C-alpha cells in the first residue's frame, strides 16, 4: 500500500488514526499500532509476512542472548548479523548472482526468481541496528518481542524508510506523548510530503519515463537533459516526499523520527551532498560499518578500503543490478577524488561553480542509477553530450519537455531552501528585527521540511520582543490553508489515477 | 487562539481524508446528498466504465493481491464527484501546459501531462496526437496489408474496396502533424499499408484536402466524422463501387442543437471545449428497411436516433456517447434488408464505428447490407462468407482498428 494511494489516504490512514487515538493506554496503543503495521505489510506482501515475523523473532532471540546469556558476546552479534544479511542476500540477490554466475561459468546456475519481500532492505537494516545497539549497550534488549515487532514493522517507515536507529526509537515505544501540537505538525508535514510526491514527482516522472522510453537517439541532447533533469527531480521529490509523509504520520502517532533529506541539491561538494541525501542510510553506513572499520582516522590506504566497502555496499543495497554497483563505484571515485585530488581546488571556486559541479555529478550519477541496460545507458549518455544533435529524430513539440517547464521551475525552487528562507525573513520581520538571524536556533539552510511545520515555538519569542504577533499568526494560518489546498489537489490527483511509481519501493 | 486554529485544522484534515468514508456512510444510511456527488452512480459516462464494486474477500484473492487491487479501484472509483475530480485535475495541469505553450508559441498542446490528446486552441477542439512511427509500427501495418491482400486473393469473386479514413489521429492534415517527427500519418499508411494491398483491392481516398476541411468534417470533441461529411464520403465510396449509381436521396441535413455533447476525444482527453458538439445528420429517403442485429430482429429506428431526438428522449448524463446513441452502437453483425434497393446485390461492410453513420445509406443501393465489426463478431469473415452470399466488400475502418491482431485474425484463413 503506497502512502500516495487512494486506499491508504482515504481508508487506512483515517481508520488507523481513529483506532489508535481511541485506544486506551500505552500497551493497547502499541498493540493496535503493531496490528495495523502487520496489516499494512500483509496488504502489500502477504506472501512474506512470515519472513518479517521470523526475522523479528530471530533478532529478538539473539539480542536476549547477547545481553543475558553471553554478555557482550561478539559471536552472538556476528551470528545475528550473518543471519540478517543472509536473508537479505538470498531474497534480494539470488537471481542476480545466479544470472552472473551462469554467464561467467557458462553453466546454468538455477535461478529461483524469487519475488523480493516488501521492505526487506529497510527492516533488515533496522534489525541490525537493534542487535548492534544492544551489543554496544546503547539500548536494552526488549523483553517483549511485540515491542521489537512494533519497531521493525512500524508502518510509517516500513517500505521506504527513514531507517530509524533502534536506540532512537526505543524510548518512544513506551515513553512517547501524543500531543495536539505534534499531531498538527504531522498533518502539515504529511501534506508537504504528499504534494511533493503526487504534484511534483509523479508529474515529472511522465516526462522522464517518456524520454527514457524513446531512447537517446530519438530525443537528442535537449530531450536527454530534460529527461535527466525530470528524473533527478522525480527521484528527489518521490523519496523526500515519501520520507516527509513517513515522518508526518509518525508525528500523528506521537513518534519523532529524524529528517531524511536536507536540501541536498544545494550542496557545494559531493561530500556535503551525502550529508544531506538519504541521511538515515548514510548514517547507518557511517555508524555501523565505516566507523567500526576505523572511519577516517586511519592511513590513506585504509581510508580508501573503508570508503570502497561502504560505497560498494551502498550501491549493492540499492539494487541487484550492475548499474547500481557502478553507481556506488562512481560515487566512491568522486568522493576519493574530492578527498585526495580536487577537493581543495573545488573549495576555492565561487559558490555558483561549486553548485554546478555538484549538480553535474549527481545528475550523471542518476543516469547510472536510472538506466539498468548498459547499452541504453551508453546511448543516453551519448545523447546528453550531443551525439544525436539537439532533438534527435524528434521535433521539439513532440518531446513535450517544453510543457513541463512550469513544473520543473517549481521543482527547482522547491529543491532549494527558499521557503524556509522566506519563513526566516518573515519571522525576523514579525519579531521586529531588520535582518534575519539565527537567534531562534534555526539556520534556514538546515531546516528540513519537518521544521517548517512548527510555527508554535516562535510565538512566545515574537510576543516577548513585542513583535507583530497577529501578522505572524495570519501568515501561519495562510500557510496552513495553502497546505490544505495542496493536500486536496494531491488527493484529486491520486483519485485521478496519476502515474505513480515509487522508485525506492523496490528496496 | 492557536489551540482553536489547531483544532479547526484537525477537523479540516479529518474532512479531507475522511471524505470517502463520510460519503460512503451517508450513502449506506440513505441520507440524501447532492446529486453532483455522484454517490448513486454505478457507471461513468465520462470514463465509459462501470465503477468497481467492493471485491469479495477471500484468502486466495488476498494472497494474489487481487483483493487489494479491487479495494484500491473501489475507493478511487467511489470518490465523491469523481467525474468532477478527474476534469478538475486535468484542468489545472492543462493550465500549466497552456502557460508553457503560450511562452513557446504553440497553439496546440496536450490536455494533461501524459495525455494522448491535444487541445487545438484556435479551433477549440480536442484531437488525438499522431503516433510516432517506428520499426514496430512498420511491421504491424505491413503484416496487416499482407493479410488483407491474401484475403482478397482468396476471394476473387468479391469486389473489394478499402476506404482510407483520413482522420485527425493519422492524417498529414492534422494540426499536430507538422509538430511531430516521423509519425503514423497518411504518407506512412500509404507506404506501409495501402500501397501494399495489391490490385484485388481498390483503395478509395478520402476527400479532406486540408486541415480546415478535416476539422470541418469531424466533430470537435469526438474522433468520428459528422453526418454531413460522412454522407459526402458515402457518395464517393458509392461512385467507386457502383459507378453511376444514385446515392440515397437526402431529405434534410439536421443539426440537433437541443442536444449538446462532449465526445470521445473530450472525454478521453478530460478537456471540455468552450463549445460542445451537436449531432449533425443527413436524413435520407429510404423506404422501410429491415434490421437484424446479431440474429435478432430490431426496429429500423435502431440505426438512426432522429425519432428519439425529436422527442427529446436522450441520455441524461452530459457525457453520454451521443454518436453511439444517435447512430447506433457497435455490434458483431448487423443485417439491413431493403427490398426497394436500386440493385439486388449484397454488400459486406467490414468496419468499426465509422460505418455507423453510413451503413443505412448503402441500403438504398444494395438489397442486403451486412455490417461486420471484427471487434465484436463471433464468426471470422471466412466463416461468414461460407454462410452468406456477398457481392461487394468494403473495408471501412480507422487506422487504430484495421491493423490490429484481432482484426487481422478475424479475416480468417
Amino acid at each position: 500500500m503506497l502512502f500516495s494511494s487512494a486506499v491508504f489516504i482515504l481508508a487506512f490512514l483515517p481508520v488507523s488514526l481513529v483506532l489508535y487515538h481511541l485506544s486506551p493506554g500505552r500497551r493497547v496503543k502499541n498493540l493496535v499500532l503493531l496490528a495495523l503495521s502487520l496489516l499494512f505489510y500483509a496488504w502489500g506482501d502477504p506472501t512474506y509476512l512470515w519472513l518479517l515475523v521470523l526475522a523479528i523473532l530471530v533478532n529478538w532471540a539473539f539480542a536476549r542472548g547477547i545481553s543475558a546469556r553471553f554478555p557482550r558476546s561478539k559471536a552472538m552479534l556476528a551470528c545475528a548479523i550473518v543471519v540478517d544479511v543472509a536473508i537479505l542476500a538470498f531474497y534480494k540477490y539470488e537471481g542476480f548472482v545466479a544470472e552472473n554466475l551462469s554467464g561467467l561459468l557458462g553453466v546454468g546456475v538455477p535461478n529461483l526468481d524469487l519475488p523480493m519481500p516488501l521492505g526487506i532492505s529497510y527492516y533488515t537494516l533496522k534489525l541490525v541496528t537493534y542487535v548492534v545497539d544492544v551489543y554496544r549497550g546503547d539500548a536494552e534488549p526488549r523483553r517483549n518481542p511485540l515491542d521489537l515487532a512494533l519497531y521493525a514493522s512500524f508502518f510509517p517507515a516500513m517500505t521506504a524508510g527513514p531507517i530509524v536507529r533502534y536506540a532512537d526509537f526505543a524510548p518512544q515505544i513506551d515513553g512517547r506523548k501524543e500531543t495536539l501540537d505534534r499531531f498538527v505538525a504531522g498533518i502539515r508535514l504529511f501534506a508537504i510530503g504528499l504534494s511533493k510526491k503526487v504534484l511534483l514527482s509523479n508529474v515529472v516522472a511522465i516526462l522522464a519515463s517518456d524520454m527514457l522510453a524513446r531512447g537517446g537517439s530519438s530525443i537528442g541532447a535537449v530531450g536527454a537533459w530534460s529527461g535527466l533533469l525530470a528524473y533527478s527531480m522525480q527521484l528527489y521529490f518521490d523519496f523526500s516526499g515519501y520520507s516527509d509523509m513517513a515522518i508526518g504520520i509518525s508525528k500523528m502517532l506521537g513518534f519523532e523520527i529524524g529528517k531524511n533529506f536536507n536540501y541536498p541539491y544545494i550542496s557545494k561538494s559531493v561530500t556535503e551532498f551525502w550529508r544531506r541525501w538519504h541521511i538515515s542510510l548514510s548514517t547507518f553506513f557511517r555508524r555501523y560499518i565505516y566507523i567500526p572499520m576505523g572511519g577516517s582516522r586511519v592511513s590513506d590506504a585504509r581510508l580508501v578500503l573503508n570508503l570502497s566497502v561502504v560505497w560498494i555496499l551502498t550501491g549493492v543495497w540499492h539494487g541487484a543490478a550492475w548499474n547500481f554497483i557502478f553507481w556506488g563505484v562512481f560515487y566512491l571515485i568522486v568522493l576519493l577524488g574530492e578527498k585526495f585530488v580536487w577537493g581543495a581546488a573545488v573549495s576555492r571556486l565561487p559558490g555558483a561553480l561549486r553548485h554546478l559541479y555538484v549538480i553535474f555529478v549527481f545528475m550523471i550519477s542518476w543516469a547510472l542509477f536510472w538506466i539498468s541496460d548498459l547499452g541504453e545507458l551508453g546511448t543516453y549518455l551519448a545523447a546528453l553530450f550531443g551525439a544525436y544533435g539537439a532533438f534527435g529524430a524528434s521535433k521539439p513539440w513532440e518531446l513535450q519537455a517544453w510543457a513541463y517547464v512550469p513544473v520543473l521551475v517549481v521543482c527547482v525552487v522547491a529543491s532549494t531552501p527558499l521557503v524556509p528562507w522566506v519563513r526566516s525573513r518573515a519571522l525576523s520581520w514579525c519579531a521586529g528585527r531588520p535582518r534575519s538571524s539565527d537567534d531562534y536556533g534555526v539556520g534556514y539552510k538546515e531546516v528540513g521540511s519537518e521544521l517548517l511545520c512548527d510555527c508554535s515555538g516562535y510565538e512566545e519569542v515574537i510576543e516577548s520582543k513585542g513583535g507583530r504577533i497577529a501578522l505572524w499568526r495570519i501568515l501561519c494560518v495562510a500557510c496552513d490553508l495553502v497546505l490544505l489546498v495542496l493536500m486536496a489537489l494531491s488527493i484529486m490527483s491520486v483519485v485521478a489515477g496519476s502515474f505513480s511509481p515509487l522508485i525506492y519501493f523496490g528496496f | 487562539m492557536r489551540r482553536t486554529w489547531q483544532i479547526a485544522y484537525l477537523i479540516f484534515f479529518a474532512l479531507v481524508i475522511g471524505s470517502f468514508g463520510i460519503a460512503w456512510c451517508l450513502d449506506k444510511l440513505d441520507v440524501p446528498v447532492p446529486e453532483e456527488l455522484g454517490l448513486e452512480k454505478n457507471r461513468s459516462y465520462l470514463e465509459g466504465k462501470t465503477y468497481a464494486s467492493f471485491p469479495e474477500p477471500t484468502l486466495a484473492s488476498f494472497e494474489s493481491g487481487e483483493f487489494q487491487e479491487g479495494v484500491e479501484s473501489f475507493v478511487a472509483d467511489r470518490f465523491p464527484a469523481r467525474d468532477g475530480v478527474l476534469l478538475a485535475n486535468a484542468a489545472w495541469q492543462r493550465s500549466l501546459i497552456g502557460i508553457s505553450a503560450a511562452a513557446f508559441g504553440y497553439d496546440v498542446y496536450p490536455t494533461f501531462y501524459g495525455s494522448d490528446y491535444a487541445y487545438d486552441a484556435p479551433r477549440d477542439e480536442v484531437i488525438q496526437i499522431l503516433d510516432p512511427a517506428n520499426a514496430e509500427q512498420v511491421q504491424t501495418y505491413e503484416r496487416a496489408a499482407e493479410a488483407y491482400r491474401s484475403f482478397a486473393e482468396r476471394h476473387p469473386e468479391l469486389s473489394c474496396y478499402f476506404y482510407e479514413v483520413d482522420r485527425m489521429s493519422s492524417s498529414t492534415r492534422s494540426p499536430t502533424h507538422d509538430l511531430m517527427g516521423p509519425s503514423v500519418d497518411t504518407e506512412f499508411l500509404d507506404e506501409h499499408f495501402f500501397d501494399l494491398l495489391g490490385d484485388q483491392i481498390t483503395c478509395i481516398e478520402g476527400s479532406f484536402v486540408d486541415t480546415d476541411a478535416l476539422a470541418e468534417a469531424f466533430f470537435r470533441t469526438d474522433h468520428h466524422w459528422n453526418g454531413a461529411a460522412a454522407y459526402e464520403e458515402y457518395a464517393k465510396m458509392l461512385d467507386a463501387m457502383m459507378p453511376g449509381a444514385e446515392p440515397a436521396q437526402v431529405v434534410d441535413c439536421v443539426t440537433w442543437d437541443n442536444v449538446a455533447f462532449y465526445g470521445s476525444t473530450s472525454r478521453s482527453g478530460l478537456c471540455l471545449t468552450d463549445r460542445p458538439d451537436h449531432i449533425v445528420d443527413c436524413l435520407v429517403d429510404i423506404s422501410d428497411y429491415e434490421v437484424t442485429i446479431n440474429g435478432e430482429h430490431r426496429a429500423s429506428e435502431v440505426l438512426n436516433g432522429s425519432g428519439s431526438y425529436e422527442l427529446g428522449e436522450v441520455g441524461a448524463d452530459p457525457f453520454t456517447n451521443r454518436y453511439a446513441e444517435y447512430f447506433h452502437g457497435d455490434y458483431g453483425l448487423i443485417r439491413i434488408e431493403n427490398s426497394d434497393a436500386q440493385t439486388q446485390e449484397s454488400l459486406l461492410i467490414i468496419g468499426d464505428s465509422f460505418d455507423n453513420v453510413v451503413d443505412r445509406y448503402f441500403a438504398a443501393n444494395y438489397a442486403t447490407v451486412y455490417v461486420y465489426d471484427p471487434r465484436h463478431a463471433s464468426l471470422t469473415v471466412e466463416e461468414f462468407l461460407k454462410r452468406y452470399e456477398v457481392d461487394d466488400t468494403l473495408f471501412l475502418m480507422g487506422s487504430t482498428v484495421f491493423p490490429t491482431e484481432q482484426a487481422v485474425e478475424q479475416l480468417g484463413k
Side-chain angles (χ1 to χ4, degrees), chain A residues 1 4-11 13-14 17 39 42-47 180-184 187-188 190-191 199 203 206 214 252 393-398 400-407 455-456 459-460 473 476-481 483-484 487-489 491-498, chain B residues 1-3 5-14 16-21 62-65 67-69 71-72 75-77 79 82 84-90 92-93 95-102 104 106-110 112-115 118 129 132 176-182 270:
Chain A
M1 202 187 310
S4 56
S5 65
V7 71
F8 179 84
I9 298 170
L10 301 173
L13 182 62
L17 291 174
L39 173 62
W43 189 274
D45 190 0
T47 316
L180 184 59
D181 279 344
R182 193 172 274 168
F183 193 100
V184 173
I187 293 173
R188 294 185 183 115
F190 182 80
L199 300 181
V203 172
I206 299 169
R214 285 172 185 263
M252 290 190 235
S394 306
K395 287 196 177 175
W397 186 91
E398 80 179 282
Q400 293 191 12
W402 56 270
Y404 291 82
V405 167
V407 183
C455 300
S456 56
E459 288 195 1
E460 288 80 14
R473 285 179 178 151
C476 288
V477 167
C479 289
D480 279 343
L481 291 174
L483 286 181
L484 268 182
M487 187 154 52
L489 278 178
I491 291 173
M492 275 171 45
S493 220
V494 166
V495 169
S498 294
Chain B
M1 158 121 185
R2 196 179 92 233
R3 218 24 147 217
W5 173 245
Q6 284 181 325
I7 293 169
Y9 202 63
L10 183 59
I11 294 170
F12 288 143
F13 174 69
V16 169
I17 65 167
S19 51
F20 168 79
F62 192 85
E63 276 178 351
S64 67
F67 175 77
Q68 294 88 313
E69 277 173 24
V71 173
E72 176 69 29
V75 172
D77 279 0
F79 190 80
R82 179 181 164 84
V85 166
L86 294 180
L87 290 168
N89 185 64
W92 78 255
Q93 290 192 1
S95 64
L96 292 181
I97 298 171
I99 292 169
S100 257
F104 283 87
Y106 293 127
D107 286 334
V108 181
Y109 49 90
F112 55 84
Y113 290 114
S115 174
I129 299 170
T176 65
H177 178 262
D178 291 343
L179 298 171
M180 305 275 295
L270 295 176

